[in-house]
């Protein structure tokens, strides 16, 4: 099982709306609105790195309310 954390920057005023869309993605384990440089932190998991990046990170990046993402794959 591969886990990754995806940091998401949302357009102003869209973090809560975006959170609900992100939580609806199949590979998302947890997602929370946070204070700081990013607006939403997402934990995702799947069988392969490609699946996590393609299914979750790429989809999140395609949402209109997203201005930036950073994806960190767990090495454990």
């Amino acid at each position: 099982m591969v886990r990754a954390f995806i940091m998401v920057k949302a357009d102003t005023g869209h973090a809560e709306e975006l959170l609900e869309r992100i939580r609806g993605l199949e590979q998302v384990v947890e997602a929370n609105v946070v204070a700081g440089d990013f607006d939403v932190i997402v934990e995702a998991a799947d069988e392969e790195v490609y699946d996590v990046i393609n299914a979750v990170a790429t989809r999140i990046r395609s949402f209109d309310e997203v201005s930036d993402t950073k994806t960190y794959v767990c090495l454990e």
Side-chain angles (χ1 to χ4, degrees), residues 41-74:
I41 295 179
V42 180
E43 180 181 358
D46 210 325
E47 292 302 314
E48 302 291 332
V49 172
Y50 174 82
D51 296 330
V52 172
I53 291 172
N54 188 51
V56 182
T58 302
R59 269 198 230 154
I60 290 172
R61 231 175 301 145
S62 74
F63 293 158
D64 290 337
E65 303 86 1
V66 173
S67 60
D68 192 20
T69 64
K70 300 280 188 232
T71 301
Y72 300 93
V73 177
C74 294

Side-chain angles (χ1 to χ4, degrees), residues 28-47:
V28 171
V29 174
E30 185 66 59
N32 294 286
V33 172
V34 296
D37 291 334
F38 290 91
D39 301 300
V40 179
I41 295 179
V42 180
E43 180 181 358
D46 210 325
E47 292 302 314

Side-chain angles (χ1 to χ4, degrees), residues 4-48:
F5 290 91
I6 304 159
M7 311 302 160
V8 182
K9 225 178 242 193
D11 292 338
T12 304
H14 291 280
E16 289 290 334
E17 169 190 343
L18 188 58
L19 178 66
E20 293 309 312
R21 291 180 71 189
I22 290 171
R23 284 182 173 167
L25 298 175
E26 183 179 332
Q27 293 84 357
V28 171
V29 174
E30 185 66 59
N32 294 286
V33 172
V34 296
D37 291 334
F38 290 91
D39 301 300
V40 179
I41 295 179
V42 180
E43 180 181 358
D46 210 325
E47 292 302 314
E48 302 291 332

